[in-house]
Amino acid sequence: MAKTEIPTDIKEVSDLPGVGTQAAEKLNTAGYKTLESIAIASPAELMEAAGLGEITATKAIKAARDSLDMGFESADKLAEKRKLIGKITTGSKALDELIGGGVESQSITEVYGKFGSSKTQLCFETAVTVQLPVEKGGLNGNCLWIDSENSFRPERIIQVAEYLKLDSQKVLKNIFVARAYNADHQSILAEKASELVKEKNIKLVIVDSLTSQFRAEFIGRGTLSDRQQKLNKHLRVLAKLAEMSNVAVLVTNQVMDRPDILFGDPTAPIGGNIVGHAAKTRLYLRKSKESKRIAKLVDSPSLPDGECIYTITENGVEDAKDKE
Ligand code: ADP
Ligand code: MG
């Protein structure tokens, strides 16, 4: 589409062609409050949410996308955008190096591993370090935390913050936590996040865990494709949020046993390819001796595969003292 055709007068949902105040109201109630949320919706979703006809829904989505300038972008523009990628330190230099400098904005980072492998600890650490100034490994921003396992612990935030000599009360105030009670609720929280991201200077969105609610709700093979579709949609929302708002999205994922693998590691992350495609950086975490943990970088598009060792202490995530 030529630049001149891009409607510039579209600022909010009610400005979209064919969407009157009444339909905008309905969309709003259904969680479609921003142009971003319309741009990534499917026509069927809008038809259901606001009773729009198919043609109107398709037009509205296209107009929302055009107004946000989505679609093809020239490579120089992309390079320009990539320059804005921020990196959040994990607390361990070795781990930062493994993932190219820290947890990146503009994309999804997935950490997966067994219970106790330190997925949530990495979330605690980055929820604090994102608040640091850029020269100290932060993004001078705040954290939004979607908690689906009831594992958020303010005490751990305080410990990490105090170790970094930060005002722990201030650090806690800058972390906005929402409990996700089921898969749909979790998806809605992610859709709502784009508003809060702007309002609260959010630079890191955590979903701990991405898959547990989906896994709990869709048991058995019959519903697997339903689950995958819902999960896919949820991930699309998160990926767009990362890209369009220049925030880092960090998700945790459990592993399941794969009886079909006879040699090598018999575990695999939940959600399979769907999560694999959506997450740009995937880290497989496992326990080592005592407080040590091993992180393995999996399938990065721009970094070599590799492993590193770090440690979990009262202070949070740190480099392991001896490397063995
Ligand atoms: P998961 O991968 O299941 O999310 P966690 O991130 O919750 O696992 O990691 C739990 C582990 O973190 C514990 O087994 C313990 O080794 C370590 N840990 C948690 N809190 C502390 C603490 N205050 N001091 C030292 N280690 C801790
Ligand atoms: Mg956990």
Side-chain angles (χ1 to χ4, degrees):
M1 186 180 191
K3 210 50 194 178
T4 48
E5 285 176 54
I6 293 174
T8 49
D9 49 342
I10 294 175
K11 298 270 182 284
E12 52 191 84
V13 175
S14 56
D15 298 333
L16 291 166
V19 179
T21 350
Q22 224 179 345
E25 195 61 41
K26 276 189 190 160
L27 286 167
N28 189 43
T29 316
Y32 300 92
K33 298 185 181 182
T34 59
L35 290 173
E36 283 89 347
S37 66
I38 303 281
I40 58 172
S42 68
E45 285 163 37
L46 298 192
M47 286 157 70
E48 198 192 310
L52 298 181
E54 189 173 356
I55 294 170
T56 312
T58 309
K59 262 193 192 162
I61 292 166
K62 186 172 184 310
R65 285 180 185 167
D66 289 344
S67 76
L68 296 167
D69 215 354
M70 286 163 79
F72 287 106
E73 262 182 299
S74 55
D76 65 324
K77 251 188 163 180
L78 278 180
E80 237 1 83
K81 198 168 157 197
R82 284 191 57 82
K83 275 190 203 151
L84 300 176
I85 290 180
K87 290 171 187 187
I88 306 163
T89 181
T90 61
S92 155
K93 284 203 179 77
L95 185 50
D96 285 352
E97 251 167 57
L98 183 71
I99 56 175
V103 178
E104 280 190 3
S105 69
Q106 295 185 20
S107 64
I108 299 176
T109 298
E110 176 201 9
V111 291
Y112 66 91
K114 285 187 182 157
F115 176 76
S117 61
S118 80
K119 303 181 294 291
T120 301
Q121 303 303 313
L122 267 166
C123 297
F124 289 138
E125 182 77 28
T126 47
V128 177
T129 58
V130 70
Q131 302 186 34
L132 291 167
V134 175
E135 62 276 14
K136 291 203 166 147
L139 292 178
N140 235 325
N142 300 329
C143 175
L144 187 75
W145 185 308
I146 299 176
D147 180 7
S148 69
E149 292 185 342
N150 200 14
S151 53
F152 181 79
R153 295 288 176 275
E155 310 87 83
R156 279 300 274 153
I157 296 289
I158 293 171
Q159 285 176 328
V160 174
E162 283 179 353
Y163 176 67
L164 294 172
K165 302 199 165 52
L166 297 170
D167 177 346
S168 56
Q169 286 310 307
K170 232 165 121 184
V171 168
L172 283 172
K173 277 207 177 81
N174 291 335
I175 302 173
F176 302 86
V177 186
R179 278 273 280 134
Y181 292 101
N182 55 53
D184 282 332
H185 185 212
Q186 183 173 323
S187 304
I188 290 169
L189 288 172
E191 280 158 23
K192 276 188 174 173
S194 70
E195 293 164 60
L196 212 69
V197 159
K198 280 182 207 150
E199 210 179 290
K200 305 282 187 195
N201 186 32
I202 303 292
K203 293 288 178 195
L204 171 66
V205 175
I206 286 170
V207 186
D208 184 27
S209 98
L210 175 74
T211 47
S212 56
Q213 295 289 0
F214 290 83
R215 195 186 192 189
E217 261 170 59
F218 301 95
I219 308 161
R221 293 205 143 244
T223 54
L224 193 62
S225 93
D226 283 351
R227 182 191 88 181
Q228 291 297 79
Q229 277 179 45
K230 271 201 179 184
L231 188 56
N232 189 36
K233 193 181 151 209
H234 181 43
L235 280 159
R236 263 172 32 211
V237 170
L238 292 170
K240 289 292 172 217
L241 181 68
E243 242 183 80
M244 292 202 278
S245 310
N246 194 19
V247 298
V249 173
L250 176 62
V251 305
T252 70
N253 195 2
Q254 299 153 319
V255 288
M256 57 176 181
D257 288 323
R258 287 190 51 178
D260 54 322
I261 296 198
L262 300 179
F263 302 101
D265 196 329
T267 59
I270 307 286
N273 284 340
I274 290 204
V275 186
H277 286 146
K280 191 181 146 231
T281 310
R282 309 192 83 184
L283 277 174
Y284 177 34
L285 309 181
R286 48 190 213 278
K287 271 189 178 171
S288 181
K289 280 182 218 156
E290 290 138 21
S291 64
K292 288 201 190 104
R293 297 291 184 277
I294 302 166
K296 182 181 184 183
L297 183 67
V298 185
D299 300 333
S300 165
S302 55
L303 293 167
D305 286 1
E307 283 192 353
C308 80
I309 298 176
Y310 59 95
T311 181
I312 306 291
T313 70
E314 196 186 301
N315 304 330
V317 179
E318 292 184 89
D319 274 323
K321 296 240 156 46
D322 59 301
K323 301 279 174 188
E324 77 144 64

